[in-house]
Amino acid sequence: MADGSKIEWTDATWNVVIGCDKVSPGCDHCYAIRTAHRMQANPNPKIAAAYAGTEADGEWTGQVNLVEDRLELPLSWTRPRRIFVNAQSDLFHKDVPDEFIARVWAVMALAPQHTFQILTKRHGRMRSLLNADYFHELVQDAIGSLVWGGAVKGAIADNVRARNNAWLPLTRAWPLPNVWLGVSVEDQQRADIRIPHLMATPAAVRWLSCEPLLGPVDVINGLGDSWLTGIDWIVVGGESGPDSRPMHPEWARSLRDQCDVAG
């Protein structure tokens, strides 16, 4: 959790969920596991509690912790930021309740000064949830609880109301204009599986994280050129850390050239 990040493509991280499990080769050397191992021994009891039980012997245990006391943090940040949501987990993990995800969406709706960057490997749940009318209703209920139910208090509440004199029509926008939705694409197999689900998910901005890139990826010819006409941004990078797998520079150049062709 940081207001300020070493990740090149974002300004801050907002970790309201900690803990995960591995679903594809891109997870094999996950940096978040090393972070969890270190943070479980943090002298700050709140930080240690957030990571408790999530990591053992260099692997995720599968335990997912919801960090409730971080939910409202972006509401207190008045300077606009690009915020990476859940650098230490996956918001669409099966153990994160729909209601909790709706509360995250409510906070994002009430913080239109920020851009929120969400990345998932759970493409199926993302697609089904964000296309469901009942989830939109959950978000509206969560907004009401935050603003009118007294969950947002003091200076934060004043900031929210000052920014949102017309908050109701603003937060009813769907998809939220300040939320970017992306999927991880580490190889062609994952591209073929995940990108179609992303394309079928309502989003103001769609993006791909080809990081760690483990092989060449063709996004133009995978399902025809319709992929790149609906994708706004692609991040490419190699793996880092112990036992990192190499990325051939030509794989990155190819993606750059495909983006250039697509404009």
Side-chain angles (χ1 to χ4, degrees), residues 10-217:
T10 199
D11 300 317
T13 55
W14 179 36
N15 293 313
V16 290
V17 179
I18 303 291
C20 205
D21 47 17
K22 297 180 178 181
V23 295
S24 68
C27 301
D28 287 350
H29 299 154
C30 181
Y31 70 91
I33 299 174
R34 300 193 299 273
T35 302
H37 181 76
R38 184 176 73 253
M39 291 298 187
Q40 286 182 149
N42 194 288
N44 183 321
K46 281 191 173 182
I47 294 177
Y51 289 87
T54 61
E55 185 278 342
D57 301 323
E59 294 291 337
W60 290 116
T61 64
Q63 178 171 319
V64 170
N65 296 337
L66 308 181
V67 192
E68 300 257 354
D69 62 359
R70 295 178 179 175
L71 264 174
E72 297 166 22
L73 188 59
L75 301 178
S76 66
W77 294 343
T78 55
R79 178 177 58 82
R81 294 160 172 80
R82 291 173 301 172
I83 301 173
F84 180 26
V85 182
N86 280 344
Q88 302 292 325
S89 186
D90 191 322
L91 185 62
F92 295 101
H93 190 283
K94 62 180 177 60
D95 291 335
V96 182
D98 292 354
E99 292 78 9
F100 190 84
I101 300 174
R103 292 169 65 191
V104 171
W105 240 258
V107 170
M108 296 190 297
L110 292 170
Q113 74 276 24
H114 301 315
T115 296
F116 294 90
Q117 300 162 307
I118 296 176
L119 188 62
T120 187
K121 292 183 176 74
R122 274 79 176 177
H123 46 275
R125 188 180 183 204
M126 176 184 69
R127 175 182 179 176
S128 62
L129 194 61
L130 297 185
N131 277 296
D133 290 340
Y134 88 91
F135 179 73
H136 196 184
E137 293 169 2
L138 285 177
V139 173
Q140 294 304 311
D141 290 344
I143 290 170
S145 295
L146 280 168
V147 176
W148 307 120
V152 179
K153 299 179 175 66
I156 295 178
D158 294 340
N159 287 338
V160 168
R161 294 189 180 103
R163 285 195 302 266
N164 293 284
N165 291 324
W167 70 272
L168 186 60
L170 179 70
T171 58
R172 287 193 180 278
W174 199 261
L176 291 181
N178 62 329
V179 176
W180 299 5
L181 292 179
V183 292
S184 295
V185 172
E186 63 262 46
D187 55 26
Q188 191 65 51
Q189 181 180 349
R190 258 46 65 168
D192 294 343
I193 294 170
R194 292 175 182 153
I195 295 177
H197 285 271
L198 176 64
M199 301 299 288
T201 302
V205 171
R206 296 183 182 90
W207 63 292
L208 308 180
S209 175
C210 300
E211 189 176 16
L213 188 60
L214 303 179
V217 172

Side-chain angles (χ1 to χ4, degrees), residues 226-242:
S226 61
W227 273 8
L228 276 183
T229 60
I231 294 171
D232 302 282
W233 191 43
I234 298 180
V235 172
V236 180
E239 193 166 57
S240 60

